[in-house]
Amino acid sequence: MQAQSADLLVRPVRARDLDSIIAIDAQITGIEKAEYWQERFHRYGERKRQPCFFLVAECDGGIDGFIIGEVRDWEFGTPACGWVFGISVRPEARLSGIGTRLLDALCNCFKNAGVSKVRTLLVFDDMLVMTFYRSQGMMAAPIITLERNLE
Amino acid sequence: MKLQKSTVIALCSVLEAAHEPGRQISSAGIAEKYGVSPHHLAKVLRRLGRAGLLESARGVGGGYRFSGNAKRVTLMDVIGLFEEMIVEAAGQREKAASTDVERAIAQVLGEIDETAKAVFKSITIATMLRLIERQNRVAGQSPPV
């Protein structure tokens, strides 16, 4: 059964959420990255280093999704803004507004931290996430990513 | 980038119809609003109908109704019906290039195509309608049609 958006609690991550977060990420990406998420928790959750935010969406005692972001000054030469580093929602819990609630909560954190713009970065073919961000009103930023092979 | 006139008219027609899903839009109204010939518009609407994005209603007050899923149909789904260049894989242009200069130009044009495709694929009709509403709120205007 899908969680209704109103039943959700969006709150800062706790250590006991990590197993659920690792499981959600592994379900979506197909790769279990326990060490990576421990490090993310240490950096964005445990240390409470502001303005870093690691939020989870809890429903009936279970974790249905999470979002991570941080306010960064002069990143790539641009004024301070909030960066969303990742958002994931358990596939069975999608289409019930959880992603919107998580992003709204993170945006409120960013606003409280004094910035007025939110940005993210994602790959071209990640249409699921790109379509989500578009549905939230996000448009192309005046930034372009470039790369080359190191020979 | 520049889209063909048919493509722009198709996008306008779909968005006008999707704005009020239950309501029929008249082709005469669209033709007048966007300054396009009824003959040209009829061809565009027929193609949209064949693609399942619009359905026609006959009789008095007949017109067109949006028949797609606004949360699923993307701009690319509409554009792809009219723009062969966009749908064509970027690699094809590079294959057709016979000199090093042409291949370099094709690579840059391919980069632009891929960016455009990613943008068009990521924006649904529902997202466009919200964008229009936001623009209208900012400008203090009424919604389309």
Short mmCIF file of all heavy atoms in Angstrom, two decimals, chain A residues 95 124-125 127 130-132 134-140 144 146, chain B residues 71-72 111 114-115 117-119 121-124 127 130-131 134:
data_model
loop_
_atom_site.label_atom_id
_atom_site.label_comp_id
_atom_site.label_asym_id
_atom_site.label_seq_id
_atom_site.Cartn_x
_atom_site.Cartn_y
_atom_site.Cartn_z
N LEU A 95 4.89 7.95 -6.32
CA LEU A 95 3.64 8.53 -6.82
C LEU A 95 2.67 8.87 -5.69
O LEU A 95 1.46 8.88 -5.88
CB LEU A 95 2.95 7.60 -7.84
CG LEU A 95 3.77 7.29 -9.10
CD1 LEU A 95 3.06 6.27 -9.97
CD2 LEU A 95 4.03 8.57 -9.89
N PHE A 124 22.08 12.90 -18.06
CA PHE A 124 21.06 13.09 -19.09
C PHE A 124 19.98 12.02 -19.09
O PHE A 124 18.81 12.31 -19.26
CB PHE A 124 21.74 13.01 -20.46
CG PHE A 124 22.12 14.35 -21.02
CD1 PHE A 124 21.98 15.51 -20.28
CD2 PHE A 124 22.63 14.44 -22.30
CE1 PHE A 124 22.34 16.73 -20.80
CE2 PHE A 124 22.99 15.65 -22.84
CZ PHE A 124 22.85 16.80 -22.08
N ASP A 125 20.42 10.76 -18.97
CA ASP A 125 19.45 9.69 -19.20
C ASP A 125 18.73 9.24 -17.93
O ASP A 125 18.00 8.26 -17.96
CB ASP A 125 20.11 8.49 -19.90
CG ASP A 125 21.31 7.97 -19.15
OD1 ASP A 125 21.60 8.53 -18.06
OD2 ASP A 125 21.95 7.03 -19.63
N MET A 127 15.99 9.84 -16.61
CA MET A 127 14.73 10.53 -16.90
C MET A 127 13.75 10.53 -15.72
O MET A 127 12.98 11.46 -15.56
CB MET A 127 14.05 9.91 -18.12
CG MET A 127 14.63 10.42 -19.41
SD MET A 127 14.49 12.23 -19.51
CE MET A 127 15.98 12.61 -20.41
N MET A 130 15.05 13.30 -13.48
CA MET A 130 14.98 14.57 -14.21
C MET A 130 13.53 15.03 -14.35
O MET A 130 13.20 16.21 -14.16
CB MET A 130 15.61 14.43 -15.59
CG MET A 130 15.58 15.72 -16.38
SD MET A 130 17.17 16.35 -16.88
CE MET A 130 17.82 15.14 -17.95
N THR A 131 12.63 14.10 -14.67
CA THR A 131 11.22 14.45 -14.83
C THR A 131 10.64 14.92 -13.49
O THR A 131 9.84 15.85 -13.44
CB THR A 131 10.43 13.23 -15.36
OG1 THR A 131 11.03 12.81 -16.57
CG2 THR A 131 8.98 13.58 -15.63
N PHE A 132 11.11 14.28 -12.40
CA PHE A 132 10.65 14.71 -11.07
C PHE A 132 11.07 16.16 -10.81
O PHE A 132 10.24 16.99 -10.43
CB PHE A 132 11.20 13.78 -9.98
CG PHE A 132 11.06 14.37 -8.60
CD1 PHE A 132 9.81 14.44 -8.00
CD2 PHE A 132 12.15 14.89 -7.94
CE1 PHE A 132 9.66 15.02 -6.74
CE2 PHE A 132 12.01 15.47 -6.68
CZ PHE A 132 10.77 15.53 -6.09
N ARG A 134 11.89 18.45 -12.89
CA ARG A 134 11.15 19.36 -13.79
C ARG A 134 9.75 19.62 -13.25
O ARG A 134 9.24 20.73 -13.31
CB ARG A 134 11.06 18.73 -15.18
CG ARG A 134 12.37 18.71 -15.94
CD ARG A 134 12.74 20.09 -16.40
NE ARG A 134 13.86 20.06 -17.33
CZ ARG A 134 14.34 21.14 -17.91
NH1 ARG A 134 13.82 22.33 -17.67
NH2 ARG A 134 15.37 21.05 -18.74
N SER A 135 9.11 18.56 -12.75
CA SER A 135 7.74 18.71 -12.24
C SER A 135 7.71 19.63 -11.02
O SER A 135 6.67 20.16 -10.66
CB SER A 135 7.15 17.34 -11.88
OG SER A 135 7.67 16.87 -10.66
N GLN A 136 8.87 19.80 -10.38
CA GLN A 136 8.96 20.67 -9.21
C GLN A 136 9.34 22.10 -9.61
O GLN A 136 9.65 22.92 -8.76
CB GLN A 136 10.00 20.12 -8.22
CG GLN A 136 9.69 18.71 -7.74
CD GLN A 136 8.36 18.63 -7.01
OE1 GLN A 136 8.11 19.37 -6.06
NE2 GLN A 136 7.49 17.75 -7.47
N GLY A 137 9.34 22.35 -10.90
CA GLY A 137 9.60 23.71 -11.39
C GLY A 137 11.06 24.03 -11.63
O GLY A 137 11.40 25.18 -11.88
N MET A 138 11.94 23.02 -11.54
CA MET A 138 13.36 23.31 -11.75
C MET A 138 13.67 23.40 -13.24
O MET A 138 13.18 22.60 -14.04
CB MET A 138 14.22 22.25 -11.06
CG MET A 138 14.07 22.35 -9.54
SD MET A 138 15.07 21.19 -8.61
CE MET A 138 16.70 21.94 -8.71
N MET A 139 14.47 24.39 -13.59
CA MET A 139 14.83 24.64 -14.99
C MET A 139 16.36 24.57 -15.11
O MET A 139 17.06 24.49 -14.12
CB MET A 139 14.36 26.05 -15.41
CG MET A 139 12.91 26.35 -15.13
SD MET A 139 11.77 25.47 -16.21
CE MET A 139 11.97 26.38 -17.72
N ALA A 140 16.85 24.64 -16.36
CA ALA A 140 18.30 24.58 -16.57
C ALA A 140 18.99 25.75 -15.89
O ALA A 140 18.51 26.88 -15.96
CB ALA A 140 18.60 24.60 -18.06
N ILE A 144 27.29 24.58 -17.17
CA ILE A 144 27.42 23.44 -18.07
C ILE A 144 28.54 22.54 -17.55
O ILE A 144 29.56 23.04 -17.06
CB ILE A 144 27.66 23.91 -19.52
CG1 ILE A 144 27.54 22.74 -20.49
CG2 ILE A 144 28.99 24.62 -19.69
CD1 ILE A 144 27.36 23.18 -21.93
N LEU A 146 31.48 19.86 -18.21
CA LEU A 146 32.37 19.45 -19.30
C LEU A 146 33.25 18.31 -18.81
O LEU A 146 33.50 18.20 -17.61
CB LEU A 146 33.24 20.63 -19.73
CG LEU A 146 32.52 21.87 -20.23
CD1 LEU A 146 33.53 23.00 -20.48
CD2 LEU A 146 31.75 21.58 -21.50
N LYS B 71 0.65 13.55 -17.26
CA LYS B 71 1.80 13.31 -16.39
C LYS B 71 2.82 12.37 -17.04
O LYS B 71 3.89 12.13 -16.49
CB LYS B 71 1.35 12.72 -15.06
CG LYS B 71 0.64 13.73 -14.17
CD LYS B 71 0.32 13.09 -12.84
CE LYS B 71 -0.29 14.14 -11.91
NZ LYS B 71 -0.66 13.54 -10.62
N ARG B 72 2.44 11.78 -18.15
CA ARG B 72 3.33 10.82 -18.81
C ARG B 72 3.83 11.32 -20.17
O ARG B 72 4.93 11.02 -20.59
CB ARG B 72 2.61 9.49 -19.00
CG ARG B 72 2.39 8.73 -17.71
CD ARG B 72 3.67 8.03 -17.27
NE ARG B 72 3.54 7.44 -15.94
CZ ARG B 72 3.88 8.05 -14.80
NH1 ARG B 72 4.36 9.28 -14.83
NH2 ARG B 72 3.75 7.45 -13.64
N GLU B 111 26.17 17.10 -29.87
CA GLU B 111 26.11 17.47 -28.45
C GLU B 111 24.87 18.34 -28.19
O GLU B 111 24.16 18.15 -27.21
CB GLU B 111 27.38 18.23 -28.09
CG GLU B 111 27.52 18.57 -26.63
CD GLU B 111 28.80 19.35 -26.34
OE1 GLU B 111 29.86 19.01 -26.90
OE2 GLU B 111 28.74 20.29 -25.54
N GLU B 114 21.73 16.15 -28.38
CA GLU B 114 21.55 15.30 -27.20
C GLU B 114 21.03 16.11 -26.01
O GLU B 114 20.18 15.64 -25.25
CB GLU B 114 22.87 14.61 -26.82
CG GLU B 114 23.29 13.52 -27.79
CD GLU B 114 22.21 12.47 -28.00
OE1 GLU B 114 21.69 11.93 -27.01
OE2 GLU B 114 21.87 12.19 -29.16
N THR B 115 21.53 17.34 -25.87
CA THR B 115 21.05 18.20 -24.79
C THR B 115 19.57 18.53 -25.01
O THR B 115 18.76 18.45 -24.08
CB THR B 115 21.87 19.51 -24.74
OG1 THR B 115 23.25 19.19 -24.66
CG2 THR B 115 21.47 20.37 -23.56
N LYS B 117 17.35 16.87 -26.71
CA LYS B 117 16.51 15.68 -26.51
C LYS B 117 16.28 15.42 -25.02
O LYS B 117 15.17 15.10 -24.61
CB LYS B 117 17.16 14.45 -27.16
CG LYS B 117 16.85 14.33 -28.64
CD LYS B 117 17.13 12.95 -29.16
CE LYS B 117 18.57 12.76 -29.48
NZ LYS B 117 18.87 11.50 -30.17
N ALA B 118 17.34 15.56 -24.24
CA ALA B 118 17.21 15.31 -22.80
C ALA B 118 16.22 16.29 -22.17
O ALA B 118 15.43 15.92 -21.31
CB ALA B 118 18.58 15.42 -22.12
N VAL B 119 16.27 17.54 -22.62
CA VAL B 119 15.34 18.54 -22.09
C VAL B 119 13.91 18.19 -22.49
O VAL B 119 13.00 18.15 -21.65
CB VAL B 119 15.72 19.96 -22.59
CG1 VAL B 119 14.64 20.97 -22.22
CG2 VAL B 119 17.06 20.39 -22.02
N LYS B 121 12.64 15.37 -23.35
CA LYS B 121 12.17 14.11 -22.76
C LYS B 121 11.80 14.28 -21.29
O LYS B 121 11.04 13.51 -20.74
CB LYS B 121 13.26 13.03 -22.85
CG LYS B 121 13.37 12.37 -24.19
CD LYS B 121 14.46 11.30 -24.10
CE LYS B 121 14.76 10.69 -25.44
NZ LYS B 121 15.93 9.81 -25.38
N SER B 122 12.40 15.27 -20.64
CA SER B 122 12.21 15.40 -19.19
C SER B 122 11.03 16.28 -18.81
O SER B 122 10.69 16.38 -17.64
CB SER B 122 13.48 15.97 -18.55
OG SER B 122 13.65 17.33 -18.89
N ILE B 123 10.41 16.93 -19.80
CA ILE B 123 9.32 17.85 -19.47
C ILE B 123 8.00 17.27 -19.95
O ILE B 123 7.79 17.08 -21.15
CB ILE B 123 9.58 19.25 -20.09
CG1 ILE B 123 10.89 19.81 -19.56
CG2 ILE B 123 8.42 20.19 -19.78
CD1 ILE B 123 11.28 21.15 -20.12
N THR B 124 7.11 17.00 -18.99
CA THR B 124 5.80 16.45 -19.34
C THR B 124 4.82 17.59 -19.65
O THR B 124 5.09 18.77 -19.35
CB THR B 124 5.22 15.62 -18.18
OG1 THR B 124 4.99 16.50 -17.07
CG2 THR B 124 6.16 14.49 -17.77
N THR B 127 3.90 19.30 -16.47
CA THR B 127 4.92 20.26 -16.03
C THR B 127 4.82 21.56 -16.83
O THR B 127 4.94 22.65 -16.28
CB THR B 127 6.33 19.64 -16.19
OG1 THR B 127 6.42 18.53 -15.30
CG2 THR B 127 7.43 20.62 -15.87
N ARG B 130 2.01 23.66 -15.55
CA ARG B 130 2.37 24.37 -14.31
C ARG B 130 3.28 25.56 -14.60
O ARG B 130 3.17 26.61 -13.99
CB ARG B 130 3.06 23.40 -13.34
CG ARG B 130 2.07 22.57 -12.54
CD ARG B 130 2.75 21.95 -11.32
NE ARG B 130 3.70 20.93 -11.73
CZ ARG B 130 3.38 19.65 -11.94
NH1 ARG B 130 2.14 19.25 -11.79
NH2 ARG B 130 4.30 18.79 -12.31
N LEU B 131 4.16 25.37 -15.58
CA LEU B 131 5.05 26.47 -15.98
C LEU B 131 4.24 27.65 -16.53
O LEU B 131 4.49 28.81 -16.20
CB LEU B 131 6.05 25.96 -17.03
CG LEU B 131 7.02 26.98 -17.63
CD1 LEU B 131 7.92 27.59 -16.56
CD2 LEU B 131 7.89 26.31 -18.70
N ARG B 134 2.55 29.39 -13.68
CA ARG B 134 3.49 30.24 -12.93
C ARG B 134 3.78 31.53 -13.67
O ARG B 134 3.79 32.61 -13.10
CB ARG B 134 4.80 29.48 -12.69
CG ARG B 134 4.83 28.67 -11.42
CD ARG B 134 6.26 28.37 -10.99
NE ARG B 134 7.05 27.73 -12.01
CZ ARG B 134 7.03 26.42 -12.26
NH1 ARG B 134 6.24 25.62 -11.57
NH2 ARG B 134 7.78 25.90 -13.20
#
